[in-house]
Short mmCIF file of all heavy atoms in Angstrom, two decimals:
data_model
loop_
_atom_site.label_atom_id
_atom_site.label_comp_id
_atom_site.label_asym_id
_atom_site.label_seq_id
_atom_site.Cartn_x
_atom_site.Cartn_y
_atom_site.Cartn_z
N MET A 1 2.46 -17.01 14.65
CA MET A 1 2.00 -15.65 14.23
C MET A 1 2.64 -15.30 12.93
O MET A 1 3.74 -15.71 12.63
CB MET A 1 2.35 -14.64 15.30
CG MET A 1 1.55 -14.71 16.57
SD MET A 1 1.14 -13.15 17.30
CE MET A 1 2.79 -12.51 17.68
N GLU A 2 1.90 -14.51 12.18
CA GLU A 2 2.37 -14.16 10.82
C GLU A 2 2.24 -12.64 10.72
O GLU A 2 1.21 -12.01 11.12
CB GLU A 2 1.60 -14.85 9.81
CG GLU A 2 2.23 -14.85 8.40
CD GLU A 2 1.38 -15.63 7.40
OE1 GLU A 2 0.45 -16.30 7.75
OE2 GLU A 2 1.76 -15.50 6.22
N GLN A 3 3.19 -11.99 10.11
CA GLN A 3 3.21 -10.59 9.93
C GLN A 3 2.61 -10.30 8.53
O GLN A 3 3.16 -10.64 7.55
CB GLN A 3 4.58 -10.01 10.00
CG GLN A 3 4.63 -8.50 10.19
CD GLN A 3 6.03 -7.98 10.43
OE1 GLN A 3 7.01 -8.58 10.11
NE2 GLN A 3 6.11 -6.85 11.13
N VAL A 4 1.47 -9.68 8.54
CA VAL A 4 0.76 -9.36 7.26
C VAL A 4 0.33 -7.94 7.21
O VAL A 4 0.13 -7.31 8.27
CB VAL A 4 -0.44 -10.29 7.06
CG1 VAL A 4 0.01 -11.77 7.01
CG2 VAL A 4 -1.43 -10.05 8.17
N CYS A 5 0.18 -7.46 6.02
CA CYS A 5 -0.33 -6.11 5.81
C CYS A 5 -1.86 -6.21 5.92
O CYS A 5 -2.49 -6.97 5.18
CB CYS A 5 0.07 -5.58 4.49
SG CYS A 5 -0.74 -4.10 3.98
N PRO A 6 -2.49 -5.43 6.85
CA PRO A 6 -3.93 -5.48 7.01
C PRO A 6 -4.68 -5.03 5.78
O PRO A 6 -5.82 -5.48 5.51
CB PRO A 6 -4.15 -4.60 8.21
CG PRO A 6 -2.98 -3.70 8.31
CD PRO A 6 -1.82 -4.48 7.81
N LEU A 7 -4.08 -4.14 4.92
CA LEU A 7 -4.75 -3.63 3.82
C LEU A 7 -4.75 -4.71 2.73
O LEU A 7 -5.72 -4.94 2.01
CB LEU A 7 -4.06 -2.39 3.27
CG LEU A 7 -4.99 -1.21 3.08
CD1 LEU A 7 -5.61 -0.82 4.41
CD2 LEU A 7 -4.23 -0.03 2.49
N CYS A 8 -3.63 -5.39 2.53
CA CYS A 8 -3.50 -6.47 1.50
C CYS A 8 -4.47 -7.55 1.74
O CYS A 8 -4.99 -8.21 0.88
CB CYS A 8 -2.11 -7.06 1.54
SG CYS A 8 -0.87 -5.96 0.69
N ASN A 9 -4.82 -7.80 3.08
CA ASN A 9 -5.65 -8.94 3.46
C ASN A 9 -7.06 -8.44 3.66
O ASN A 9 -7.91 -9.23 4.12
CB ASN A 9 -5.13 -9.63 4.68
CG ASN A 9 -3.85 -10.36 4.34
OD1 ASN A 9 -3.90 -11.53 3.98
ND2 ASN A 9 -2.68 -9.70 4.40
N GLY A 10 -7.37 -7.18 3.40
CA GLY A 10 -8.74 -6.70 3.51
C GLY A 10 -9.18 -6.66 4.99
O GLY A 10 -10.43 -6.72 5.19
N LEU A 11 -8.28 -6.60 5.91
CA LEU A 11 -8.71 -6.57 7.28
C LEU A 11 -9.14 -5.20 7.76
O LEU A 11 -9.94 -5.10 8.70
CB LEU A 11 -7.50 -7.01 8.21
CG LEU A 11 -6.99 -8.45 7.91
CD1 LEU A 11 -5.75 -8.75 8.72
CD2 LEU A 11 -8.09 -9.46 8.17
N THR A 12 -8.67 -4.16 7.16
CA THR A 12 -9.00 -2.82 7.59
C THR A 12 -8.93 -1.85 6.43
O THR A 12 -8.35 -2.12 5.40
CB THR A 12 -8.02 -2.43 8.73
OG1 THR A 12 -8.43 -1.14 9.23
CG2 THR A 12 -6.65 -2.34 8.25
N ASP A 13 -9.46 -0.62 6.66
CA ASP A 13 -9.27 0.44 5.74
C ASP A 13 -7.96 1.13 6.13
O ASP A 13 -7.54 1.13 7.29
CB ASP A 13 -10.51 1.42 5.85
CG ASP A 13 -11.74 0.84 5.24
OD1 ASP A 13 -11.61 0.02 4.32
OD2 ASP A 13 -12.82 1.23 5.63
N ALA A 14 -7.46 1.83 5.20
CA ALA A 14 -6.17 2.53 5.52
C ALA A 14 -6.40 3.75 6.36
O ALA A 14 -5.56 4.23 7.12
CB ALA A 14 -5.57 3.02 4.20
N GLY A 15 -7.62 4.31 6.35
CA GLY A 15 -7.92 5.49 7.14
C GLY A 15 -7.16 6.72 6.63
O GLY A 15 -6.86 7.67 7.42
N ILE A 16 -6.87 6.74 5.36
CA ILE A 16 -6.11 7.86 4.77
C ILE A 16 -7.16 8.81 4.15
O ILE A 16 -8.04 8.38 3.47
CB ILE A 16 -5.19 7.41 3.65
CG1 ILE A 16 -4.25 6.30 4.20
CG2 ILE A 16 -4.40 8.59 3.06
CD1 ILE A 16 -3.17 6.81 5.06
N THR A 17 -7.03 10.09 4.46
CA THR A 17 -7.92 11.06 3.83
C THR A 17 -7.20 11.89 2.82
O THR A 17 -5.95 12.16 2.95
CB THR A 17 -8.57 12.02 4.91
OG1 THR A 17 -7.46 12.61 5.70
CG2 THR A 17 -9.46 11.27 5.83
N CYS A 18 -7.84 12.32 1.81
CA CYS A 18 -7.26 13.05 0.71
C CYS A 18 -6.86 14.46 1.12
O CYS A 18 -7.58 15.16 1.81
CB CYS A 18 -8.29 13.15 -0.47
SG CYS A 18 -7.73 14.10 -1.81
N LYS A 19 -5.63 14.77 0.80
CA LYS A 19 -5.10 16.09 1.18
C LYS A 19 -5.81 17.18 0.45
O LYS A 19 -5.83 18.38 0.89
CB LYS A 19 -3.61 16.18 0.89
CG LYS A 19 -2.78 15.35 1.88
CD LYS A 19 -1.28 15.75 1.77
CE LYS A 19 -0.44 14.97 2.74
NZ LYS A 19 -0.22 13.63 2.32
N ASN A 20 -6.37 16.88 -0.70
CA ASN A 20 -7.01 17.92 -1.54
C ASN A 20 -8.46 18.23 -1.11
O ASN A 20 -8.83 19.39 -0.96
CB ASN A 20 -7.04 17.44 -2.99
CG ASN A 20 -5.73 17.59 -3.66
OD1 ASN A 20 -4.80 18.18 -3.07
ND2 ASN A 20 -5.55 17.05 -4.86
N CYS A 21 -9.19 17.15 -0.80
CA CYS A 21 -10.61 17.37 -0.61
C CYS A 21 -11.11 16.82 0.73
O CYS A 21 -12.24 17.05 1.11
CB CYS A 21 -11.44 16.81 -1.73
SG CYS A 21 -11.41 15.09 -1.86
N GLY A 22 -10.27 16.01 1.38
CA GLY A 22 -10.69 15.54 2.71
C GLY A 22 -11.51 14.25 2.70
O GLY A 22 -11.88 13.66 3.69
N GLU A 23 -11.81 13.72 1.48
CA GLU A 23 -12.56 12.50 1.34
C GLU A 23 -11.69 11.34 1.74
O GLU A 23 -10.43 11.40 1.67
CB GLU A 23 -13.06 12.37 -0.07
CG GLU A 23 -14.12 13.41 -0.49
CD GLU A 23 -15.45 13.15 0.24
OE1 GLU A 23 -15.83 11.95 0.30
OE2 GLU A 23 -16.12 14.14 0.62
N ALA A 24 -12.30 10.26 2.13
CA ALA A 24 -11.55 8.99 2.41
C ALA A 24 -11.00 8.44 1.14
O ALA A 24 -11.70 8.33 0.12
CB ALA A 24 -12.47 7.97 3.07
N MET A 25 -9.68 8.08 1.14
CA MET A 25 -9.07 7.55 -0.07
C MET A 25 -9.21 6.04 -0.06
O MET A 25 -9.15 5.40 0.97
CB MET A 25 -7.56 7.96 -0.11
CG MET A 25 -7.37 9.47 -0.11
SD MET A 25 -5.68 9.93 -0.41
CE MET A 25 -5.52 9.76 -2.17
N LYS A 26 -9.33 5.52 -1.27
CA LYS A 26 -9.49 4.06 -1.44
C LYS A 26 -8.12 3.42 -1.74
O LYS A 26 -7.32 4.04 -2.41
CB LYS A 26 -10.47 3.77 -2.58
CG LYS A 26 -11.94 4.03 -2.24
CD LYS A 26 -12.85 3.51 -3.35
CE LYS A 26 -14.27 3.30 -2.83
NZ LYS A 26 -14.77 4.31 -1.92
N ASP A 27 -7.97 2.24 -1.36
CA ASP A 27 -6.80 1.42 -1.61
C ASP A 27 -6.75 1.13 -3.05
O ASP A 27 -7.59 0.38 -3.54
CB ASP A 27 -6.74 0.19 -0.75
CG ASP A 27 -5.55 -0.68 -1.06
OD1 ASP A 27 -4.52 -0.13 -1.61
OD2 ASP A 27 -5.57 -1.85 -0.69
N GLY A 28 -5.78 1.56 -3.79
CA GLY A 28 -5.64 1.27 -5.24
C GLY A 28 -4.82 0.06 -5.47
O GLY A 28 -4.56 -0.31 -6.60
N GLY A 29 -4.40 -0.60 -4.41
CA GLY A 29 -3.57 -1.85 -4.59
C GLY A 29 -2.16 -1.66 -4.24
O GLY A 29 -1.76 -0.51 -3.91
N MET A 30 -1.46 -2.74 -4.23
CA MET A 30 -0.04 -2.68 -3.87
C MET A 30 0.78 -1.92 -4.90
O MET A 30 0.47 -1.99 -6.09
CB MET A 30 0.51 -4.07 -3.62
CG MET A 30 0.22 -4.55 -2.13
SD MET A 30 0.70 -6.23 -1.95
CE MET A 30 2.41 -6.19 -2.54
N TRP A 31 1.79 -1.22 -4.40
CA TRP A 31 2.62 -0.43 -5.19
C TRP A 31 3.21 -1.25 -6.38
O TRP A 31 3.32 -0.81 -7.50
CB TRP A 31 3.75 0.13 -4.34
CG TRP A 31 4.59 1.18 -4.93
CD1 TRP A 31 4.32 2.01 -5.97
CD2 TRP A 31 5.99 1.36 -4.61
NE1 TRP A 31 5.37 2.79 -6.26
CE2 TRP A 31 6.42 2.40 -5.42
CE3 TRP A 31 6.85 0.81 -3.72
CZ2 TRP A 31 7.74 2.93 -5.42
CZ3 TRP A 31 8.14 1.36 -3.65
CH2 TRP A 31 8.60 2.36 -4.49
N SER A 32 3.56 -2.46 -6.08
CA SER A 32 4.23 -3.29 -7.07
C SER A 32 3.30 -3.58 -8.24
O SER A 32 3.73 -3.85 -9.33
CB SER A 32 4.69 -4.58 -6.45
OG SER A 32 3.64 -5.26 -5.79
N ASP A 33 1.99 -3.52 -7.98
CA ASP A 33 1.08 -3.78 -9.14
C ASP A 33 1.15 -2.68 -10.13
O ASP A 33 0.89 -2.86 -11.32
CB ASP A 33 -0.33 -3.87 -8.60
CG ASP A 33 -0.61 -5.10 -7.66
OD1 ASP A 33 0.20 -6.02 -7.77
OD2 ASP A 33 -1.53 -5.08 -6.88
N TYR A 34 1.51 -1.47 -9.68
CA TYR A 34 1.55 -0.33 -10.58
C TYR A 34 2.93 -0.22 -11.28
O TYR A 34 3.07 0.23 -12.36
CB TYR A 34 1.29 0.94 -9.86
CG TYR A 34 -0.12 1.04 -9.45
CD1 TYR A 34 -0.66 0.38 -8.37
CD2 TYR A 34 -1.01 1.74 -10.32
CE1 TYR A 34 -2.01 0.50 -8.05
CE2 TYR A 34 -2.40 1.81 -10.04
CZ TYR A 34 -2.88 1.21 -8.95
OH TYR A 34 -4.17 1.27 -8.67
N ILE A 35 3.93 -0.71 -10.61
CA ILE A 35 5.30 -0.64 -11.19
C ILE A 35 5.39 -1.64 -12.30
O ILE A 35 5.96 -1.30 -13.37
CB ILE A 35 6.36 -0.93 -10.12
CG1 ILE A 35 6.38 0.17 -9.07
CG2 ILE A 35 7.73 -0.99 -10.78
CD1 ILE A 35 7.28 -0.11 -7.92
N GLY A 36 4.80 -2.73 -12.15
CA GLY A 36 4.74 -3.71 -13.21
C GLY A 36 6.04 -4.62 -13.19
O GLY A 36 6.90 -4.55 -12.31
N PRO A 37 6.10 -5.52 -14.11
CA PRO A 37 7.17 -6.54 -14.14
C PRO A 37 8.55 -6.02 -14.45
O PRO A 37 9.47 -6.79 -14.33
CB PRO A 37 6.67 -7.55 -15.28
CG PRO A 37 5.85 -6.68 -16.21
CD PRO A 37 5.19 -5.59 -15.30
N TYR A 38 8.68 -4.81 -14.83
CA TYR A 38 9.99 -4.31 -15.23
C TYR A 38 10.73 -3.65 -14.06
O TYR A 38 11.87 -3.25 -14.17
CB TYR A 38 9.87 -3.25 -16.36
CG TYR A 38 9.15 -3.85 -17.55
CD1 TYR A 38 7.86 -3.49 -17.92
CD2 TYR A 38 9.82 -4.89 -18.32
CE1 TYR A 38 7.23 -4.09 -19.02
CE2 TYR A 38 9.19 -5.43 -19.37
CZ TYR A 38 7.89 -5.06 -19.76
OH TYR A 38 7.30 -5.62 -20.80
N ALA A 39 10.04 -3.53 -12.90
CA ALA A 39 10.73 -2.92 -11.77
C ALA A 39 11.72 -3.86 -11.21
O ALA A 39 11.57 -5.06 -11.23
CB ALA A 39 9.66 -2.52 -10.74
N PRO A 40 12.81 -3.29 -10.58
CA PRO A 40 13.73 -4.17 -9.88
C PRO A 40 13.04 -4.90 -8.71
O PRO A 40 12.12 -4.39 -8.12
CB PRO A 40 14.76 -3.18 -9.30
CG PRO A 40 14.59 -1.93 -10.05
CD PRO A 40 13.12 -1.95 -10.54
N TYR A 41 13.46 -6.10 -8.48
CA TYR A 41 12.71 -6.93 -7.47
C TYR A 41 12.86 -6.27 -6.08
O TYR A 41 11.89 -6.34 -5.31
CB TYR A 41 13.39 -8.34 -7.43
CG TYR A 41 12.68 -9.28 -6.51
CD1 TYR A 41 11.40 -9.66 -6.84
CD2 TYR A 41 13.30 -9.77 -5.38
CE1 TYR A 41 10.75 -10.58 -5.97
CE2 TYR A 41 12.62 -10.67 -4.52
CZ TYR A 41 11.35 -11.04 -4.88
OH TYR A 41 10.68 -11.91 -4.03
N GLU A 42 13.88 -5.54 -5.85
CA GLU A 42 14.12 -4.90 -4.53
C GLU A 42 13.03 -3.80 -4.28
O GLU A 42 12.78 -3.42 -3.16
CB GLU A 42 15.50 -4.24 -4.48
CG GLU A 42 16.61 -5.24 -4.41
CD GLU A 42 16.97 -5.80 -5.77
OE1 GLU A 42 16.50 -5.31 -6.78
OE2 GLU A 42 17.73 -6.78 -5.83
N MET A 43 12.44 -3.35 -5.33
CA MET A 43 11.49 -2.26 -5.20
C MET A 43 10.07 -2.67 -4.95
O MET A 43 9.18 -1.86 -4.65
CB MET A 43 11.41 -1.46 -6.49
CG MET A 43 12.73 -0.70 -6.76
SD MET A 43 13.05 0.65 -5.58
CE MET A 43 11.69 1.79 -6.07
N THR A 44 9.81 -3.96 -4.95
CA THR A 44 8.41 -4.40 -4.74
C THR A 44 7.99 -4.32 -3.33
O THR A 44 8.82 -4.39 -2.37
CB THR A 44 8.22 -5.86 -5.22
OG1 THR A 44 8.99 -6.72 -4.35
CG2 THR A 44 8.69 -6.01 -6.65
N ALA A 45 6.70 -4.16 -3.16
CA ALA A 45 6.13 -3.99 -1.82
C ALA A 45 6.34 -5.17 -0.95
O ALA A 45 6.44 -5.17 0.23
CB ALA A 45 4.72 -3.59 -1.90
N HIS A 46 6.30 -6.32 -1.62
CA HIS A 46 6.45 -7.58 -0.86
C HIS A 46 7.86 -7.65 -0.15
O HIS A 46 7.94 -8.07 0.95
CB HIS A 46 6.32 -8.80 -1.81
CG HIS A 46 4.90 -9.29 -1.88
ND1 HIS A 46 4.18 -9.63 -0.80
CD2 HIS A 46 4.08 -9.42 -2.92
CE1 HIS A 46 3.00 -10.03 -1.18
NE2 HIS A 46 2.89 -9.87 -2.45
N VAL A 47 8.91 -7.17 -0.83
CA VAL A 47 10.19 -7.21 -0.28
C VAL A 47 10.21 -6.15 0.95
O VAL A 47 10.78 -6.39 1.94
CB VAL A 47 11.26 -6.85 -1.30
CG1 VAL A 47 12.60 -6.65 -0.64
CG2 VAL A 47 11.35 -7.97 -2.32
N LYS A 48 9.62 -4.99 0.66
CA LYS A 48 9.53 -4.05 1.74
C LYS A 48 8.88 -4.61 2.98
O LYS A 48 9.27 -4.35 4.04
CB LYS A 48 8.76 -2.80 1.25
CG LYS A 48 9.56 -1.82 0.49
CD LYS A 48 8.85 -0.58 0.26
CE LYS A 48 9.79 0.50 -0.27
NZ LYS A 48 9.44 1.88 0.25
N GLN A 49 7.81 -5.32 2.72
CA GLN A 49 7.05 -5.91 3.79
C GLN A 49 7.86 -6.89 4.63
O GLN A 49 7.90 -6.90 5.81
CB GLN A 49 5.82 -6.62 3.29
CG GLN A 49 4.88 -7.18 4.33
CD GLN A 49 3.56 -7.60 3.79
OE1 GLN A 49 3.29 -7.41 2.62
NE2 GLN A 49 2.77 -8.27 4.61
N GLN A 50 8.66 -7.68 3.87
CA GLN A 50 9.47 -8.64 4.52
C GLN A 50 10.60 -8.00 5.33
O GLN A 50 10.96 -8.41 6.41
CB GLN A 50 10.12 -9.63 3.56
CG GLN A 50 9.10 -10.65 2.99
CD GLN A 50 9.63 -11.35 1.77
OE1 GLN A 50 10.78 -11.23 1.43
NE2 GLN A 50 8.76 -12.21 1.15
N ASN A 51 11.14 -6.91 4.76
CA ASN A 51 12.32 -6.33 5.41
C ASN A 51 11.92 -5.39 6.56
O ASN A 51 12.61 -5.42 7.59
CB ASN A 51 13.06 -5.43 4.34
CG ASN A 51 13.82 -6.30 3.37
OD1 ASN A 51 14.04 -7.49 3.61
ND2 ASN A 51 14.22 -5.76 2.25
N GLY A 52 10.90 -4.59 6.44
CA GLY A 52 10.57 -3.66 7.45
C GLY A 52 9.24 -3.77 8.10
O GLY A 52 8.84 -3.00 8.89
N GLY A 53 8.51 -4.82 7.72
CA GLY A 53 7.13 -4.93 8.27
C GLY A 53 6.26 -3.86 7.74
O GLY A 53 5.27 -3.57 8.30
N GLN A 54 6.63 -3.36 6.55
CA GLN A 54 5.78 -2.28 5.98
C GLN A 54 5.42 -2.64 4.56
O GLN A 54 6.11 -3.35 3.88
CB GLN A 54 6.50 -0.94 6.06
CG GLN A 54 6.67 -0.42 7.42
CD GLN A 54 7.47 0.89 7.49
OE1 GLN A 54 8.29 1.11 6.66
NE2 GLN A 54 7.17 1.69 8.49
N CYS A 55 4.32 -2.06 4.12
CA CYS A 55 3.80 -2.37 2.77
C CYS A 55 3.36 -1.02 2.15
O CYS A 55 2.69 -0.25 2.82
CB CYS A 55 2.61 -3.30 2.87
SG CYS A 55 2.03 -3.90 1.31
N THR A 56 3.73 -0.78 0.98
CA THR A 56 3.39 0.47 0.27
C THR A 56 2.21 0.34 -0.58
O THR A 56 2.19 -0.54 -1.44
CB THR A 56 4.61 0.97 -0.52
OG1 THR A 56 5.78 0.97 0.25
CG2 THR A 56 4.34 2.35 -1.10
N HIS A 57 1.25 1.15 -0.34
CA HIS A 57 0.05 1.12 -1.10
C HIS A 57 -0.18 2.41 -1.84
O HIS A 57 0.09 3.50 -1.31
CB HIS A 57 -1.26 0.85 -0.25
CG HIS A 57 -1.38 -0.57 0.15
ND1 HIS A 57 -2.27 -1.43 -0.35
CD2 HIS A 57 -0.63 -1.29 1.06
CE1 HIS A 57 -2.20 -2.63 0.15
NE2 HIS A 57 -1.20 -2.54 1.07
N LEU A 58 -0.75 2.33 -3.05
CA LEU A 58 -1.11 3.52 -3.76
C LEU A 58 -2.56 3.79 -3.48
O LEU A 58 -3.46 3.00 -3.74
CB LEU A 58 -0.90 3.33 -5.24
CG LEU A 58 -1.28 4.59 -6.10
CD1 LEU A 58 -0.36 5.80 -5.76
CD2 LEU A 58 -1.15 4.24 -7.61
N MET A 59 -2.83 4.89 -2.80
CA MET A 59 -4.15 5.30 -2.41
C MET A 59 -4.74 6.20 -3.53
O MET A 59 -4.04 7.03 -4.07
CB MET A 59 -4.20 6.03 -1.06
CG MET A 59 -3.46 5.26 0.04
SD MET A 59 -4.20 3.65 0.31
CE MET A 59 -5.83 4.10 0.91
N HIS A 60 -6.02 6.07 -3.77
CA HIS A 60 -6.72 6.82 -4.81
C HIS A 60 -7.99 7.48 -4.24
O HIS A 60 -8.73 6.83 -3.59
CB HIS A 60 -7.11 5.84 -5.99
CG HIS A 60 -7.81 6.55 -7.03
ND1 HIS A 60 -7.19 7.39 -7.99
CD2 HIS A 60 -9.10 6.67 -7.35
CE1 HIS A 60 -8.07 7.84 -8.83
NE2 HIS A 60 -9.25 7.46 -8.50
N CYS A 61 -8.09 8.76 -4.58
CA CYS A 61 -9.36 9.46 -4.20
C CYS A 61 -10.33 9.46 -5.27
O CYS A 61 -10.05 10.01 -6.37
CB CYS A 61 -8.97 10.95 -3.75
SG CYS A 61 -10.43 11.89 -3.31
N ALA A 62 -11.51 8.81 -5.04
CA ALA A 62 -12.49 8.80 -6.09
C ALA A 62 -13.17 10.15 -6.29
O ALA A 62 -13.79 10.36 -7.30
CB ALA A 62 -13.47 7.68 -5.77
N HIS A 63 -12.99 10.98 -5.36
CA HIS A 63 -13.70 12.33 -5.46
C HIS A 63 -13.04 13.30 -6.35
O HIS A 63 -13.64 13.90 -7.17
CB HIS A 63 -13.78 12.83 -3.96
CG HIS A 63 -14.61 14.09 -3.84
ND1 HIS A 63 -15.97 14.03 -3.94
CD2 HIS A 63 -14.33 15.36 -3.69
CE1 HIS A 63 -16.48 15.22 -3.86
NE2 HIS A 63 -15.52 16.09 -3.71
N CYS A 64 -11.69 13.39 -6.21
CA CYS A 64 -10.94 14.37 -6.94
C CYS A 64 -9.85 13.77 -7.84
O CYS A 64 -9.20 14.47 -8.60
CB CYS A 64 -10.39 15.50 -6.08
SG CYS A 64 -8.97 15.01 -5.10
N GLY A 65 -9.63 12.45 -7.71
CA GLY A 65 -8.67 11.87 -8.54
C GLY A 65 -7.26 11.90 -7.99
O GLY A 65 -6.29 11.47 -8.64
N ASN A 66 -7.05 12.43 -6.78
CA ASN A 66 -5.74 12.55 -6.23
C ASN A 66 -5.23 11.19 -5.89
O ASN A 66 -5.94 10.25 -5.57
CB ASN A 66 -5.78 13.39 -4.99
CG ASN A 66 -4.42 13.67 -4.34
OD1 ASN A 66 -3.45 13.75 -5.08
ND2 ASN A 66 -4.41 13.68 -3.01
N GLU A 67 -3.88 11.02 -5.99
CA GLU A 67 -3.27 9.76 -5.68
C GLU A 67 -2.12 9.98 -4.71
O GLU A 67 -1.44 10.99 -4.79
CB GLU A 67 -2.78 9.02 -6.92
CG GLU A 67 -3.86 8.46 -7.75
CD GLU A 67 -3.41 7.72 -8.95
OE1 GLU A 67 -2.25 7.96 -9.40
OE2 GLU A 67 -4.13 6.78 -9.48
N ALA A 68 -1.89 9.05 -3.76
CA ALA A 68 -0.84 9.22 -2.79
C ALA A 68 -0.41 7.88 -2.33
O ALA A 68 -1.11 6.93 -2.32
CB ALA A 68 -1.36 10.06 -1.58
N TYR A 69 0.87 7.80 -1.99
CA TYR A 69 1.44 6.52 -1.47
C TYR A 69 1.28 6.50 0.01
O TYR A 69 1.45 7.52 0.74
CB TYR A 69 2.93 6.36 -1.80
CG TYR A 69 3.17 6.18 -3.25
CD1 TYR A 69 3.79 7.18 -4.01
CD2 TYR A 69 2.79 5.04 -3.92
CE1 TYR A 69 3.99 7.01 -5.37
CE2 TYR A 69 3.00 4.84 -5.25
CZ TYR A 69 3.58 5.86 -5.95
OH TYR A 69 3.87 5.63 -7.31
N ALA A 70 0.92 5.35 0.51
CA ALA A 70 0.78 5.22 1.95
C ALA A 70 1.57 4.02 2.44
O ALA A 70 1.57 2.95 1.84
CB ALA A 70 -0.74 4.94 2.39
N ILE A 71 2.36 4.25 3.45
CA ILE A 71 3.17 3.14 4.05
C ILE A 71 2.32 2.55 5.17
O ILE A 71 1.98 3.17 6.14
CB ILE A 71 4.47 3.70 4.60
CG1 ILE A 71 5.18 4.53 3.60
CG2 ILE A 71 5.35 2.52 5.07
CD1 ILE A 71 5.67 3.78 2.37
N ILE A 72 1.98 1.25 4.96
CA ILE A 72 1.12 0.55 5.84
C ILE A 72 1.99 -0.36 6.75
O ILE A 72 2.71 -1.21 6.26
CB ILE A 72 0.03 -0.30 5.14
CG1 ILE A 72 -0.70 0.56 4.13
CG2 ILE A 72 -0.88 -0.93 6.14
CD1 ILE A 72 -1.47 1.72 4.73
N GLN A 73 1.87 -0.17 8.04
CA GLN A 73 2.60 -1.10 9.00
C GLN A 73 1.89 -2.40 9.07
O GLN A 73 0.64 -2.45 9.33
CB GLN A 73 2.67 -0.38 10.38
CG GLN A 73 3.44 -1.16 11.36
CD GLN A 73 4.96 -1.22 11.02
OE1 GLN A 73 5.51 -0.19 10.62
NE2 GLN A 73 5.54 -2.41 11.12
N SER A 74 2.58 -3.47 8.98
CA SER A 74 2.00 -4.78 9.03
C SER A 74 1.67 -5.17 10.52
O SER A 74 2.30 -4.65 11.45
CB SER A 74 2.98 -5.85 8.52
OG SER A 74 3.21 -5.61 7.13
N ASP A 75 0.69 -6.02 10.65
CA ASP A 75 0.26 -6.52 12.01
C ASP A 75 0.60 -7.91 12.15
O ASP A 75 0.68 -8.69 11.12
CB ASP A 75 -1.31 -6.35 12.17
CG ASP A 75 -1.68 -4.89 12.33
OD1 ASP A 75 -0.82 -4.09 12.75
OD2 ASP A 75 -2.83 -4.61 12.01
N PHE A 76 0.72 -8.39 13.36
CA PHE A 76 0.84 -9.80 13.61
C PHE A 76 -0.48 -10.44 13.84
O PHE A 76 -1.31 -9.92 14.69
CB PHE A 76 1.79 -10.02 14.89
CG PHE A 76 3.19 -9.74 14.59
CD1 PHE A 76 3.83 -8.62 15.05
CD2 PHE A 76 3.98 -10.70 13.95
CE1 PHE A 76 5.15 -8.33 14.78
CE2 PHE A 76 5.33 -10.47 13.68
CZ PHE A 76 5.93 -9.28 14.15
N ILE A 77 -0.83 -11.50 13.15
CA ILE A 77 -2.08 -12.17 13.31
C ILE A 77 -1.81 -13.63 13.65
O ILE A 77 -0.67 -14.13 13.36
CB ILE A 77 -3.02 -12.08 12.11
CG1 ILE A 77 -2.30 -12.68 10.84
CG2 ILE A 77 -3.38 -10.65 11.85
CD1 ILE A 77 -3.31 -12.91 9.71
ZN1 LIG B 101 -0.24 -4.16 1.78
ZN1 LIG B 102 -9.69 14.06 -3.15
#
């Protein structure tokens, strides 16, 4: 079995709704993609996933432009 983030692997939607307008928010990608190469290695989502079975995603609302971080719990597959 392997512990993976279902969002990273396209297995599921996050099911996060926008606090502003209530629309379903889209996965904007892993947090580390936004921080870029200058972030400390400890801050990347991959490390978080390994340490706590969790993955941080930046969610984006296409309706109103709101953005929010979502902590996604990894599943065993
Ligand atoms: Zn993920
Ligand atoms: Zn919205």
Side-chain angles (χ1 to χ4, degrees):
M1 290 216 299
E2 196 178 352
Q3 194 172 26
V4 299
C5 170
L7 233 62
C8 284
N9 290 271
L11 299 176
T12 184
D13 289 329
I16 307 285
T17 52
C18 177
K19 288 194 177 76
N20 284 351
C21 66
E23 294 287 319
M25 299 187 80
K26 285 188 161 40
D27 178 22
M30 274 173 52
W31 188 29
S32 55
D33 293 340
Y34 286 84
I35 294 173
Y38 302 110
Y41 187 66
E42 291 80 11
M43 292 293 290
T44 66
H46 270 303
V47 173
K48 277 191 169 217
Q49 185 170 349
Q50 286 169 4
N51 287 345
Q54 291 178 332
C55 188
T56 306
H57 282 256
L58 181 62
M59 306 303 294
H60 177 79
C61 176
H63 189 72
C64 72
N66 185 35
E67 288 182 336
Y69 292 110
I71 310 295
I72 308 299
Q73 184 66 46
S74 297
D75 288 335
F76 287 102
I77 60 168

